[in-house]
Amino acid sequence: MTFTLTDLEAELKALAPGAACCIHHDTFADLFPPGEPDIGARGAAYEFAKANGCTIDNRPAEQTLCFVKSK
């Protein structure tokens, strides 16, 4: 099953303030090609997060990117 931007948006809308939805960098690359560390992909993810009331917490050591719902 493919995880889509629609799926991610639904997850983000359901988050409680302060909660996070984390995705692996591989999933990030599928959703925001070409993925980490591309500046364009980061910008697109930032705008997507902002539009959904979230900030981004990139965790390179864990190869995850977390969308954190604003409080």
Side-chain angles (χ1 to χ4, degrees):
M1 184 171 137
T2 303
F3 189 70
T4 67
L5 283 175
T6 302
D7 297 329
L8 179 56
E9 183 174 34
E11 295 259 345
L12 299 183
K13 288 183 188 230
L15 288 177
C21 174
C22 299
I23 58 174
H24 191 272
H25 280 184
D26 291 343
T27 303
F28 175 72
D30 290 340
L31 298 175
F32 302 98
E36 187 61 25
D38 183 75
I39 297 298
R42 286 179 175 180
Y46 170 81
E47 291 301 323
F48 185 83
K50 184 177 170 184
N52 286 282
C54 296
T55 58
I56 291 180
D57 178 14
N58 190 7
R59 302 173 183 176
E62 299 169 21
Q63 292 192 358
T64 59
L65 185 130
C66 298
F67 294 81
V68 182
K69 189 71 161 205
S70 300
K71 293 181 181 182

